[in-house]
Amino acid sequence: MSRAVAIHKFGGTSLGDASRIRNAARLLAAARRRRPVVAVASAMGGVTDVLLQAARDAERGRIGLARKAVDALKARHAAAARELGVRFEEAPLRELSAALEGVSLLRERTARVTDLVSSFGERLSSPLLAAVLAKAGVPARAVDARDILVTDDRHGAATCDRKRSDPRVRRKLKPILAAGILPVVTGFIARSVKGETTTLGRSGSDTTAALLGAALSAHEVVIWTDVDGVLSADPRLVRGARLLPRLSYREAAEMTYFGAKVLHFPAVLPAIAEGIPLVIRNSFRPEIRGTTIAAKGDGTKGIHAVTAVPGMCLLSLDGRGMTGVPGIAARVFSATARLGVSVVMFSQASSEQNIALVIPEGDRARTVAALEQEFRWERLTGSIDSVNARAPIAVVAAVGEGMRGTPGIAAKVFAAVARAKVNVESIAQGSSECNISFAVDGKDWVRAVRALHRVVSI
Ligand code: ADP
Ligand code: ASP
Ligand code: MG
């Protein structure tokens, strides 16, 4: 196989029903005329949510509801298969039912079993897409990613071990490609070193595609979704959001880290590592070129996009006794790292009398408890007053490679937010100068995003 392959990933809405699956097969057949293709399939739209709800129902002993959910999934996939004129392989559903019965019996839902249950969406959709391709005259074979991607055992948000996985990916997929067959790989799922089913986190099929692209030194990784590409803001929040034809990896990383749901943040990392372009395109409007994410952005100055992550909590440590005392920030970070809590934003006042950090709201109680424990002596001696928590808050970010070295950007950002009468609680600017992020009250974030979008300069 001398020609570089392309990876084409289809998201949930792009595989939502029989006609969408047929459309995906058509796009794959066209792409394959240019170069060898590996497809990555997400679950049919909404299926992962149904599976997760069924697992929660089973845990609460509502096995009747969980069984109904399995029946509904079977009916949905069988109807699509019938309409497409292909066979529907039911075997995975028996395994799903057994897993849910087990959860219900034990009234216990571990992270491990949650991953197993949520894996079935992709395990049902991939064979369906492969069968449709084969019927259309494109030789195709469903591949279970658990045979090729090895991760750590952080169930629910596992990280791929590329050293272990890359050779497996090549060993499995290259012969299939060399035989002129199109592999259709399950997105989202993988397996741990111990052999258990893991998942890469919600929206993780993007990362599956990027990982396969990196292992195969792909020409490009195309992410087919339901919007024209990466837009200057979430189109559900900002009506005038515009298509960004070119983004740098760094801009894409900042945007996706700070809430742009159009791409799974970890997908950017293997793409950067191997310099593989990520192309985001609309499967409903393939005539549009979409967004290309590569080493260089479009080179223009100013703010390119606005993103936001709601559902956060702002923690602050205050006290005169922190001034000039080394290691306070390090202790904060080691406490959060021990808990596995991700710090979305961090800032320290130059007086060193205040440290602020933003974490997910769900991690509030245990993080406050851990910080109070960590700084118990300082609190006793009065050098740190208290650990304060405020929620809900949201982090809003202005992103743009061209913000670097452009004077007055911060003034523009905060003037726009002030005009919307939104109070800014805490500010951080990454040293890359590719991002200015700030925390606002949970009730204000949509207003802040809209106000800030008015100063986006593309
Ligand atoms: P898929 O199922 O194809 O993976 P997702 O729902 O994960 O699709 O991602 C696409 C959605 O991301 C869009 O429908 C859009 O609502 C949302 N989105 C959020 N922020 C942005 C943005 N900046 N640009 C484009 N889409 C965005
Ligand atoms: N099906 C998974 C989810 O809904 C993964 C994905 O769609 O990328 O999160
Ligand atoms: Mg997605």
Side-chain angles (χ1 to χ4, degrees):
M1 195 184 60
S2 54
R3 287 162 69 214
V5 299
I7 317 292
H8 285 250
K9 174 258 171 179
F10 291 86
T13 35
S14 300
L15 297 173
D17 57 28
S19 79
R20 299 310 308 158
I21 295 175
R22 200 179 287 122
N23 179 64
R26 227 179 275 131
L27 292 171
L28 285 167
R32 189 171 170 271
R33 275 180 227 123
R34 289 186 293 277
R35 58 183 75 251
V37 165
V38 175
V40 172
S42 284
M44 289 176 80
V47 167
T48 309
D49 290 328
V50 170
L51 290 165
L52 289 169
Q53 185 57 43
R56 284 191 292 268
D57 286 336
E59 180 189 16
R60 289 183 200 125
R62 300 186 203 139
I63 189 64
L65 283 179
R67 286 180 188 147
K68 265 201 191 123
V70 176
D71 288 344
L73 287 178
K74 180 173 164 182
R76 181 169 171 197
H77 288 85
R82 212 175 312 114
E83 201 176 325
L84 292 160
V86 297
R87 233 176 76 84
F88 171 55
E89 187 48 72
E90 273 188 41
L93 286 173
R94 284 193 284 280
E95 195 190 329
L96 169 62
S97 297
L100 290 170
E101 299 290 335
V103 171
S104 161
L105 221 71
L106 298 170
R107 292 280 202 280
E108 190 186 15
R109 181 174 56 90
T110 58
R112 233 175 62 187
V113 81
T114 303
D115 267 356
L116 177 65
V117 169
S118 56
S119 72
F120 286 92
E122 276 72 9
R123 289 164 64 187
L124 292 171
S125 64
S126 307
L128 207 53
L129 179 57
V132 173
L133 282 162
K135 186 159 189 269
V138 178
R141 183 180 308 161
V143 173
D144 190 321
R146 293 174 301 174
D147 293 338
I148 51 181
L149 295 181
V150 182
T151 67
D152 59 16
D153 57 6
R154 273 185 59 215
H155 287 279
T159 301
C160 184
D161 178 340
R162 285 197 50 202
K163 271 214 185 76
R164 283 198 165 92
S165 305
D166 285 8
R168 285 182 165 81
V169 170
R170 291 192 281 265
R171 227 180 300 129
K172 175 89 180 182
L173 298 186
K174 282 194 169 180
I176 299 179
L177 289 163
I181 297 169
L182 193 160
V184 182
V185 182
T186 53
F188 183 48
I189 69 173
R191 74 165 169 84
S192 67
V193 181
K194 286 188 224 141
E196 277 147 5
T197 300
T198 55
T199 62
L200 305 175
R202 295 304 307 268
S203 295
S205 301
D206 298 339
T207 298
T208 306
L211 287 165
L212 299 184
L216 295 170
S217 305
H219 170 77
E220 62 180 359
V221 172
V222 183
I223 310 273
W224 291 99
T225 184
D226 60 354
V227 281
D228 288 347
V230 181
L231 307 177
S232 52
D234 184 339
R236 289 165 302 186
L237 297 179
V238 178
R239 223 180 302 132
R242 291 177 296 255
L243 176 66
L244 302 169
R246 249 197 116 74
L247 282 176
S248 68
Y249 289 126
R250 183 180 274 169
E251 287 173 312
E254 298 283 353
M255 286 184 72
T256 53
Y257 184 77
F258 285 104
K261 199 189 151 244
V262 61
L263 183 67
H264 193 222
F265 167 70
V268 185
L269 308 177
I272 296 182
E274 308 299 330
I276 296 166
L278 295 171
V279 186
I280 318 292
R281 299 185 65 180
N282 193 341
S283 71
F284 293 75
R285 305 211 298 168
E287 65 283 5
I288 292 169
R289 293 299 310 160
T291 301
T292 300
I293 302 168
K296 279 204 164 62
D298 72 357
T300 59
K301 295 267 174 228
I303 303 166
H304 292 161
V306 180
T307 61
V309 229
M312 297 284 131
C313 170
L314 178 68
L315 297 181
S316 62
L317 265 71
D318 298 282
R320 288 183 173 279
M322 293 186 336
T323 311
V325 179
I328 302 263
R331 284 166 64 197
V332 168
F333 276 118
S334 49
T336 52
R338 272 197 303 277
L339 296 176
V341 168
S342 77
V343 177
V344 178
M345 198 180 106
F346 180 86
S347 70
Q348 181 167 27
S350 57
S351 67
E352 293 188 38
Q353 290 181 20
N354 170 278
I355 283 178
L357 59 151
V358 174
I359 57 162
E361 201 179 345
D363 294 325
R364 171 185 179 157
R366 61 197 189 108
T367 311
V368 169
L371 290 176
E372 283 180 347
Q373 172 69 10
E374 175 67 40
F375 293 105
R376 60 195 180 284
W377 293 113
E378 286 82 355
R379 287 173 58 235
L380 270 176
T381 57
S383 56
I384 288 181
D385 302 336
S386 58
V387 180
N388 293 309
R390 279 202 46 196
I393 64 124
V395 174
V396 177
V399 177
E401 191 91 70
M403 283 159 59
R404 196 191 332 229
T406 313
I409 293 279
K412 214 168 161 183
V413 166
F414 294 113
V417 177
R419 271 198 301 278
K421 301 204 166 30
V422 173
N423 185 36
V424 172
E425 312 276 347
S426 180
I427 301 172
Q429 177 166 25
S431 57
S432 66
E433 280 190 51
C434 180
N435 153 336
I436 294 176
S437 45
F438 51 93
V440 301
D441 193 285
K443 68 179 181 340
D444 292 335
W445 70 278
V446 174
R447 204 145 39 92
V449 166
R450 289 183 181 150
L452 196 48
H453 190 262
R454 280 184 214 116
V455 296
V456 165
S457 49
I458 49 161

